[in-house]
Amino acid sequence: MTMSKLTPATEPSKPIIVIKLGGSMIDHLTDAFYKSFHDLRLHFHIIVVHGGGPSITSMLKRLNIKSEFHNGLRKTTKETMEVVKMSLAGTVNAQITSRLAEQHIYAIGLKGSDCNMLTARFVDQNKLGFVGEVVKVELDFLYRCMEAGYIPVIAPLGKTQDGQTVNINADLAASAIAKGVLAEKLLFVTDVPGILLQGDVVNETTPQEVQELINNGSIHGGMIPKVESAVYALSEHLQEVMIVSGKRALMEANRMTGTIIRKEKGMC
Ligand SMILES: Nc1ncnc2c1ncn2[C@@H]1O[C@H](COP(=O)(O)OP(=O)(O)O)[C@@H](O)[C@H]1O
Ligand SMILES: CC(=O)N[C@@H](CCC(=O)OP(=O)(O)O)C(=O)O
């Protein structure tokens, strides 16, 4: 994936953290989890990017439309796209913004396809239909939302140069956004407490180790796009990515626990 960057019109007043909420957890996130955003906001501007794969799959099932995946990406026909938009933007996005509002945290629900926020290109239109990958992130609008005190909550949809809406894997969307907005931190919130190896959480790892774990089958399924996205996002600016559980508060005793992925161990 290659991506061009825009130069921000203004520097944000706080570092940015991008938090990806996995579809596996969204229905199970607790009030304590959402309350953690109060602490995080003291130090960071927050952008939420959410998934919603299970919600899309269950709606497709109710409508008797079959789900088909290739390398973890959902084949998205025109008909499927209608359901993707309905589930992500109509149901899941609204659920997250209202849970945040219950905690008096003001969030603004957006689709990545709004305001040219995520420009995308087709991944493989013949094989996957309306599936895209991000090529450009429009910064100004996001910066303005955050500076005005709102948390952008973004559904992973994008627009191609010629204006077609595409479905983007949420892990890939989150990492592209983190990279595009020059975030300092990227967090993947999921249904496991981090990368697990024989039942134990790996506290810290590197891109090289992660690749070995994929190659030997220790990392599989939905964890693959997550770690690949994490590795893609790492840069001079974004030096660590965390994979954490959504089953408890994000911050406990002022710290987060999970798996940290860094270019080299013990760097920070
Ligand atoms: N080594 C691993 N450690 C932890 N989880 C793993 C590992 N390998 C595969 N997984 C799977 O990845 C899942 C998380 O990915 P996914 O279901 O796509 O979550 P999300 O909806 O949060 O994106 C876990 O529930 C687990 O089944
Ligand atoms: C192209 C593609 O596969 N898009 C995903 C978008 C949602 C997503 O990624 O949700 P999770 O984070 O819950 O998996 C899909 O249609 O399921």
Side-chain angles (χ1 to χ4, degrees):
M1 179 164 48
T2 54
M3 194 178 58
S4 60
K5 277 189 215 142
L6 292 180
T7 309
T10 50
E11 283 290 311
S13 57
K14 283 191 260 188
I16 298 171
I17 182 167
V18 174
I19 302 178
K20 189 264 173 166
L21 300 183
S24 64
M25 260 327 284
I26 288 168
D27 284 345
H28 312 286
L29 295 170
T30 60
D31 287 345
F33 175 86
Y34 283 110
K35 273 196 180 113
S36 323
F37 281 61
H38 282 294
D39 292 333
L40 273 181
R41 291 185 85 181
L42 299 176
H43 310 288
F44 294 100
H45 279 321
I46 303 172
I47 297 176
V48 172
V49 181
H50 65 83
S55 163
I56 300 168
T57 299
S58 89
M59 183 57 80
L60 286 170
K61 208 167 173 186
R62 279 164 66 182
L63 296 169
N64 270 327
I65 304 171
K66 79 172 178 10
S67 288
E68 186 179 328
F69 289 87
H70 298 275
N71 291 330
L73 300 176
R74 183 188 306 277
K75 181 173 178 183
T76 307
T77 61
K78 234 181 177 151
E79 191 184 33
T80 306
M81 192 66 206
E82 290 309 307
V83 178
V84 168
K85 284 196 242 175
M86 193 163 74
S87 302
L88 291 180
T91 308
V92 181
N93 190 281
Q95 181 184 354
I96 296 166
T97 53
S98 57
R99 289 293 299 280
L100 285 166
E102 281 168 19
Q103 300 305 327
H104 308 284
I105 294 166
Y106 294 106
I108 177 159
L110 299 164
K111 304 184 289 300
S113 48
D114 294 333
C115 301
N116 293 325
M117 209 180 334
L118 301 183
T119 304
R121 66 173 165 228
F122 286 105
V123 172
D124 180 344
Q125 200 171 3
N126 286 334
K127 194 167 168 190
L128 292 168
F130 293 88
V131 171
E133 62 181 3
V134 178
V135 289
K136 196 173 86 184
V137 181
E138 168 61 44
L139 303 181
D140 248 18
F141 177 67
L142 288 172
Y143 280 12
R144 279 176 213 270
C145 289
M146 292 187 287
E147 290 295 336
Y150 295 100
I151 296 180
V153 175
I154 305 173
L157 297 167
K159 274 248 157 81
T160 60
Q161 298 273 15
D162 62 354
Q164 302 189 70
T165 304
V166 284
N167 178 14
I168 304 171
N169 171 277
D171 291 329
L172 299 174
S175 65
I177 291 171
K179 212 163 176 151
V181 301
L182 302 178
E184 269 189 23
K185 291 208 185 300
L186 170 61
L187 217 61
F188 289 98
V189 176
T190 185
D191 62 347
V192 284
I195 297 174
L196 298 169
L197 261 189
Q198 280 129 25
D200 293 325
V201 178
V202 175
N203 294 317
E204 190 179 357
T205 187
T206 61
Q208 201 184 339
E209 279 184 1
V210 153
Q211 192 53 55
E212 284 160 17
L213 295 175
I214 294 175
N215 293 346
N216 72 20
S218 302
I219 289 179
H220 51 90
M223 192 51 70
I224 294 179
K226 228 172 286 308
V227 295
E228 286 183 343
S229 301
V231 168
Y232 168 75
L234 288 174
S235 68
E236 276 302 298
H237 209 83
L238 198 157
Q239 301 211 348
E240 59 179 48
V241 178
M242 274 194 91
I243 299 173
V244 301
S245 167
K247 291 185 181 160
R248 51 178 188 238
L250 267 179
M251 310 271 280
E252 279 168 347
N254 233 4
R255 62 188 293 270
M256 287 183 208
T257 47
T259 300
I260 298 181
I261 305 175
R262 293 193 182 110
K263 280 200 170 154
E264 286 168 41
K265 281 190 184 171
M267 259 175 39
C268 295

